[in-house]
Amino acid sequence: MSTVTTAAADRDDRSAGGGRPAHRGTGRRPRFGRGIRGNEAMAGWLFVLPIVVILGVFLLLPIVMAFWVSLTDWRGQGSPFKSGVPFVGADNYTHLFTQDGLARRDFMTSIRNNFYYVLIVVPVQTALALGLALLVNNRMLKAKGFFRTAFYFPSVTSSVAISVVFLFMFANSGAINGVLSWFGIDGPAWFSDSRGLIHLILGLFGVDNAPAALSDGGPLGLSWWEWLSGPSVAMCAIMFLVIWTTSGTFMLMFLAALQSVPVSLDEASELDGASKWQRFRYVTLPLLKPTMFLVLTLGLIGTWQVFDQIYVMSQGNPAKTTLTPAFLSYRTAFKDLDYGQGAAIAFVLFVIIIVLTLAQRWIMRDRDEPRRRFRWLR
Amino acid sequence: MATLTSPNKRQPKGLVTTIVGYAVLIFFALVFIYPFVIQLTNSFKTEPDAASNPLSPIPHPVTTAGFERLFDGDFPLWIGNSVLVTVVVTIGRVFLDSLAGYALARLRFRGRRAVFATVVAVMAVPGVVLFIPKFLVFNQLGIYNTYTALILPLLVDAAGVFIMKQFFESIPVSLEEAARIDGATVFRTFWSVVLPMARPALITLTILSFQGTWNEFPHTLVAVQDPSLFTLPRGLANLVSGSLGSGTQYPLKLGAALLATIPVAVLFALFQRYFVRGASEGAEKG
């Protein structure tokens, strides 16, 4: 392959007026001169330019801006980047953690609520998804497709629309209480019931009010009694909805993993005399570990972000028991017009999510597991 | 929790576990499907009927009063906005994500790794922490409360770039090389040679974009405030939010919810395969 290009040849090409140059081959020579991948670098940049610009302008730049705002006391008037905006340093952050006041109480309440929510939703949705996947994966099962579709369909629908349906179902004389009444249970007034589950359980043993030891002096501005409330009845309705919505997607992930388990492996262990439970415990479960990790991670990330359902169903009520950091951040900024405080809450939430994800990685780390998250996907 | 039956086991025990297995599955199928039945039937009920027999699958009497009232208000406008935003965003996403995915998979240019790392990092940013940042940018650019704010930021989604990149890496490079040697430009090669081969990935991406955009709620909350710019989920949330379990206008609200559900349900019925594929790509909802 000749790679001799000269200015003369170049000129020749151009003077040929777009047609093919008379002398064979030279028309392409300049391009071969830079290799067959001649204008690739330029094309590459042009191809990624739109996404780089959009991600930069609507994602990376805003995050920097929001960090600046979280250090100010901007109230939504004019631009936060003009000189008149009061700079308050780390005040918005100290209001959340060290300074006693309404801001800290609300924030810690939202952390408590979200913590209980995560504590219940993540294990239940994971267990339910795994259970359904194991059932649907059975070789002898008829109507496999129907069941898979039925369980998965809720995950693709609009969160707002389905929240409306559940609001109706959990109404005081709604479908849920109707079903409960078949069993002689008098259902609660779901969305106006702020009693915590742990408090209710303690109430069964006659502990209705905070014992003196717990009623004051808890950490971070809430008493121990408040920290130990458990999720409220209203939050339980939201938890039910979210578990119902997400289990289908996670079931599919488990199914994909189960289908890649070779049948021969299962049969071999059966021949070796392993019981069903042993086969599940020592053959299936270890093979599901990467999927389990993915599901738990996605669950953890998702549950710390719960917002849509809160917005539609409860707006943080009753008695702030369904307030979550995501919703509080929104409300503080757009309803109370305290943008600095709202942005600070968002950043703290961001850090919480990142830290928990990393912690989970570390806990579930596996020496011989490939570290690529999407490895198991085909 | 174990599998239902295994072949060549003693019959009676196998039968019992089979029946129990089916019973459990059918129970859960009911739990997962019945809320949609409630949504459908109650939107055709009268208010007192919906309030006193919420579980009944038969409206008595059947009425479309709820829907009629819906269409008297802003509702048709919201549907129009939803359709507009969804169509534009889906077309934009499919095109831009495949362009970028192709470049990241195949083209060698300086900074490619950095761009890809950024895309992956972006996937990890939780959406709810972006409320205020997004609002600030809209404010600075003077596009708050416009269609631009509603559409432009949604045009790119990192997960879509990722899916396309994965796909382009999996197809053989020989055809592209042949096209190049024949003197086709990079874009020409991409457009006429590569994209036609990428049909399955493109359909997956189209469906995921459609579903994601149609259902999108938080973004619309910080992009617009004018009811004439509301999309369906935003309007619906406005209609409902904070109205505690009192039985007011439920047939109307459920009718609106039903209309928000139907397009995705139809899409799901037609293209379930692709939905399933998309779910296994690690798509995630909160």
Side-chain angles (χ1 to χ4, degrees):
Chain A
M1 191 72 60
S2 148
T3 53
V4 181
T5 45
T6 60
D10 261 341
R11 260 201 311 277
D12 260 346
D13 288 350
R14 271 196 292 272
S15 63
R20 285 190 162 244
H23 40 281
R24 203 161 48 86
T26 37
R28 297 263 163 72
R29 260 200 207 149
R31 193 174 292 165
F32 278 128
R34 281 172 295 157
I36 193 170
R37 301 176 164 276
N39 47 5
E40 202 173 298
M42 178 129 113
W45 266 110
L46 282 176
F47 278 27
V48 295
L49 193 65
I51 66 155
V52 169
V53 170
I54 294 178
L55 289 179
V57 172
F58 291 108
L59 220 116
L60 301 176
L61 177 71
I63 290 175
V64 177
M65 286 165 134
F67 187 69
W68 165 252
V69 168
S70 80
L71 304 175
T72 69
D73 192 19
W74 185 57
R75 295 275 161 177
Q77 297 298 317
S79 162
F81 309 104
K82 296 228 167 69
S83 52
V85 177
F87 179 81
V88 295
D91 274 10
N92 286 321
Y93 293 90
T94 56
H95 284 312
L96 298 179
F97 289 99
T98 54
Q99 272 191 356
D100 206 6
L102 182 65
R104 181 167 83 159
R105 280 196 62 82
D106 280 357
F107 177 67
M108 287 305 163
T109 304
S110 76
I111 293 282
R112 176 201 67 184
N113 298 338
N114 214 146
F115 170 77
Y116 283 120
Y117 171 90
V118 171
L119 198 68
I120 294 179
V121 170
V122 172
V124 173
Q125 74 188 6
T126 307
L128 182 61
L130 179 57
L132 293 176
L134 288 168
L135 284 169
V136 172
N137 193 44
N138 189 307
R139 268 166 295 165
M140 316 300 282
L141 180 71
K142 303 267 192 302
K144 196 177 287 199
F146 164 75
F147 286 116
R148 199 183 57 187
T149 305
F151 299 146
Y152 179 50
F153 181 61
S155 340
V156 303
T157 53
S158 152
S159 58
V160 175
I162 213 65
S163 297
V164 174
V165 177
F166 272 65
L167 206 50
F168 174 67
M169 283 167 50
F170 278 96
N172 299 350
S173 62
I176 299 284
N177 284 351
V179 171
L180 288 176
S181 69
W182 298 344
F183 301 97
I185 301 168
D186 194 8
W190 291 95
F191 282 102
S192 39
D193 196 334
S194 62
R195 291 171 302 166
L197 277 194
I198 298 179
H199 285 179
L200 283 172
I201 291 167
L202 289 172
L204 295 176
F205 298 101
V207 185
D208 276 327
N209 290 313
L214 297 179
S215 62
D216 44 21
L220 299 168
L222 295 188
S223 71
W224 281 109
W225 178 247
E226 285 169 310
W227 280 112
L228 293 172
S229 66
S232 70
V233 174
M235 189 57 114
C236 288
I238 294 174
M239 291 193 296
F240 182 84
L241 162 61
V242 171
I243 290 165
W244 180 87
T245 312
T246 49
S247 299
T249 306
F250 294 142
M251 175 202 71
L252 279 187
M253 293 182 185
F254 280 126
L255 261 182
L258 282 170
Q259 270 152 12
S260 63
V261 175
V263 176
S264 55
L265 202 61
D266 212 36
E267 282 171 350
S269 54
E270 195 176 354
L271 286 175
D272 288 341
S275 72
K276 265 184 191 167
W277 166 248
Q278 284 174 318
R279 290 214 305 272
F280 171 68
R281 174 71 190 76
Y282 297 105
V283 179
T284 315
L285 212 50
L287 287 165
L288 289 178
K289 194 166 174 177
T291 315
M292 185 72 85
F293 172 73
L294 182 79
V295 166
L296 286 172
T297 305
L298 291 177
L300 201 62
I301 293 171
T303 45
W304 275 101
Q305 292 192 61
V306 58
F307 177 84
D308 298 13
Q309 294 81 358
I310 307 277
Y311 184 96
V312 175
M313 296 171 100
S314 69
Q315 297 265 318
N317 296 321
K320 296 181 181 174
T321 56
T322 60
L323 205 56
T324 61
F327 185 77
L328 182 66
S329 153
Y330 167 82
R331 201 193 66 184
T332 307
F334 297 97
K335 293 280 179 287
D336 310 343
L337 298 182
D338 192 348
Y339 288 90
Q341 189 74 76
I345 293 169
F347 275 104
V348 173
L349 177 60
F350 194 9
V351 171
I352 289 174
I353 292 172
I354 290 172
V355 167
L356 284 171
T357 312
L358 292 176
Q360 188 166 15
R361 262 174 193 245
W362 187 78
I363 291 165
M364 295 206 47
R365 74 194 182 286
D366 200 357
R367 278 167 302 284
D368 50 17
E369 188 185 303
R371 290 294 306 273
R372 299 263 310 274
R373 230 182 93 184
F374 294 87
R375 218 35 232 272
W376 60 279
L377 300 168
R378 254 161 312 289
Chain B
M1 190 70 70
T3 46
L4 298 185
T5 56
S6 52
N8 60 50
K9 270 273 149 84
R10 281 161 302 145
Q11 246 345 46
K13 196 178 168 195
L15 192 67
V16 170
T17 44
T18 305
I19 290 170
V20 169
Y22 274 110
V24 171
L25 278 171
I26 288 167
F27 168 77
F28 276 107
L30 262 178
V31 169
F32 277 74
I33 291 302
Y34 208 78
F36 295 106
V37 176
I38 287 180
Q39 181 188 27
L40 176 67
T41 59
N42 281 280
S43 57
F44 289 100
K45 287 180 187 175
T46 57
E47 262 192 65
D49 184 22
S52 50
N53 314 306
L55 272 166
S56 149
I58 295 140
H60 187 79
V62 177
T63 171
T64 52
F67 290 102
E68 283 157 25
R69 281 230 308 286
L70 264 185
F71 281 90
D72 280 345
D74 276 339
F75 195 75
L77 203 56
W78 300 343
I79 294 184
N81 286 338
S82 261
V83 170
L84 175 77
V85 171
T86 305
V87 168
V88 174
V89 167
T90 302
I91 292 170
R93 264 192 199 181
V94 170
F95 181 63
L96 296 179
D97 288 356
S98 23
L99 264 183
Y102 180 69
L104 292 173
R106 281 278 200 270
L107 305 178
R108 296 194 202 134
F109 57 96
R110 195 173 298 175
R112 179 172 79 158
R113 281 222 176 84
V115 171
F116 183 61
T118 313
V119 168
V120 171
V122 162
M123 277 164 62
V125 177
V128 290
V129 305
L130 293 172
F131 287 151
I132 298 159
K134 272 186 185 168
F135 172 75
L136 292 173
V137 166
F138 297 150
N139 231 8
Q140 289 301 108
L141 297 176
I143 56 172
Y144 177 66
N145 210 19
T146 62
Y147 280 112
T148 315
L150 211 48
I151 290 171
L152 203 57
L154 293 179
L155 280 182
V156 166
D157 83 306
V161 175
F162 197 92
I163 290 175
M164 292 317 288
K165 175 178 178 282
Q166 298 278 82
F167 183 85
F168 289 132
E169 277 170 348
S170 72
I171 53 179
V173 77
S174 51
L175 270 171
E176 290 158 64
E177 280 175 343
R180 287 286 192 84
I181 289 166
D182 287 347
T185 59
V186 180
F187 184 78
R188 184 67 204 265
T189 308
F190 166 76
W191 189 251
S192 337
V193 178
V194 181
L195 272 193
M197 289 197 292
R199 179 178 291 200
L202 290 177
I203 295 178
T204 302
L205 189 57
T206 305
I207 287 182
L208 287 182
S209 302
F210 186 97
Q211 180 239 352
T213 313
W214 182 265
N215 292 341
E216 177 62 47
F217 169 65
H219 172 75
T220 62
L221 203 54
V222 293
V224 294
Q225 65 180 149
D226 194 342
S228 67
L229 292 170
F230 281 2
T231 59
L232 202 44
R234 176 73 201 273
L236 187 54
N238 230 44
L239 207 62
V240 175
S241 66
S243 64
L244 291 179
S246 54
T248 47
Q249 303 199 334
Y250 263 113
L252 176 143
K253 292 171 185 172
L254 290 170
L258 179 70
L259 291 170
T261 309
I262 285 175
V264 175
V266 170
L267 206 64
F268 183 78
L270 294 174
F271 298 101
Q272 205 196 331
R273 272 184 313 138
Y274 295 97
F275 270 105
V276 171
R277 189 179 301 171
S280 330
E281 297 282 357
E284 213 269 319
K285 291 173 59 166

